[in-house]
Amino acid sequence: MLGHVEKLTCSGVRACDGLSLGSFGNGSEALDCDGAKACYQMDFSEVAFASAHCLGEAACAYSNFNNHTKVDCDAVSACAYAVVHTVNQLWCHGQTACYFTDAVDVGVLHCDGDYACSSMNVHSVGYMDCESSTTYVDYLCYAITVAEVGNAYNLSCVGDFNCKDAEFGSFINVSDTDPFVLTCQGFDACQSMSIVNPPALLELRCLGSGSESYTCCRYLELPHVEELTCQVCW
């Protein structure tokens, strides 16, 4: 184990693979992990720094993060199987970017890329969405488990299989007087998805995929729906 490292650069294949640090800089630096498995299996749970940028395939896979402003997982499997304790923003951009990642307390969760947030286990998130901001992607939040969701007004599952087999616990910031809109758009977008404690005024919109989708809400498990809209988009 290294004690204090004033400046750290992890660039190249397995550049800092398995490295253990006591402290890094003055706590305000950004860590760049640029290369395949550049920061693979690193433990940052007790190391203070502002942000981590995982920019290579599996760059930060199996690593451990805690108390950062931002963790950016921007490559194939960049943060797969990682553990993220407390972070203001977690960006999962890329195929399987956060596949099977365990997140404890996340302010905002961004998912973008096929399987980007698939099979994640999230204890608490302030805001999240399962709709790509850049292009139409598939399996975005497939089989994700989220215990507490902070979304106050809506959740969008837009893309084929994007929330298939997903499980959501409670929406903790929803008002009892304002509607909450759940949008399922895409082939089997919300198939077998479940919400344990859904919002009281839940509006469910099953909108198809724009082609031949009739199954966007198939086997969806909800104890109560205030308003239901089913519409196939051609």
Side-chain angles (χ1 to χ4, degrees):
M1 177 177 177
L2 299 178
H4 177 75
V5 176
E6 190 63 32
K7 184 177 181 180
L8 176 64
T9 300
C10 298
S11 179
V13 177
R14 293 186 179 269
C16 297
D17 182 355
L19 185 67
S20 182
L21 303 177
S23 59
F24 167 43
N26 62 12
S28 62
E29 287 83 359
L31 173 65
D32 289 328
C33 301
D34 190 2
K37 297 185 176 181
C39 296
Y40 188 75
Q41 290 185 322
M42 291 188 68
D43 186 1
F44 299 112
S45 60
E46 303 296 330
V47 184
F49 54 90
S51 59
H53 305 286
C54 306
L55 307 177
E57 183 173 351
C60 299
Y62 292 94
S63 291
N64 201 328
F65 297 94
N66 186 28
N67 199 25
H68 307 303
T69 302
K70 181 180 180 182
V71 176
D72 185 8
C73 309
D74 196 3
V76 174
S77 301
C79 298
Y81 295 95
V83 176
V84 180
H85 293 274
T86 303
V87 63
N88 292 351
Q89 297 185 56
L90 177 58
W91 290 69
C92 303
H93 288 192
Q95 184 175 343
T96 62
C98 294
Y99 186 66
F100 274 101
T101 297
D102 188 5
V104 178
D105 187 5
V106 178
V108 179
L109 174 62
H110 298 268
C111 305
D112 199 351
D114 291 348
Y115 294 92
C117 293
S118 172
S119 301
M120 285 187 70
N121 181 32
V122 182
H123 298 260
S124 178
V125 62
Y127 180 83
M128 66 172 293
D129 232 344
C130 296
E131 176 181 5
S132 172
S133 60
T134 56
T135 185
Y136 197 83
V137 299
D138 301 330
Y139 293 94
L140 191 57
C141 297
Y142 169 71
I144 193 173
T145 299
V146 187
E148 293 185 348
V149 186
N151 296 34
Y153 301 105
N154 58 72
L155 175 66
S156 297
C157 299
V158 179
D160 294 348
F161 311 101
N162 270 7
C163 291
K164 183 180 184 293
D165 294 331
E167 180 179 317
F168 298 95
S170 301
F171 288 79
I172 58 176
N173 292 325
V174 173
S175 167
D176 291 333
T177 58
D178 294 324
F180 185 92
V181 178
L182 171 60
T183 301
C184 301
Q185 183 172 3
F187 184 76
D188 281 344
C190 294
Q191 179 185 342
S192 301
M193 186 185 101
S194 64
I195 300 178
V196 178
N197 296 306
L201 300 179
L202 178 62
E203 295 183 5
L204 176 60
R205 300 177 182 176
C206 305
L207 303 179
S209 69
S211 56
E212 299 179 353
S213 175
Y214 298 95
T215 58
C216 45
C217 293
R218 180 165 57 172
Y219 308 133
L220 177 63
E221 297 181 23
L222 294 170
H224 173 79
V225 175
E226 187 73 12
E227 182 178 327
L228 173 63
T229 300
C230 296
Q231 177 182 338
V232 176
C233 302
W234 295 88

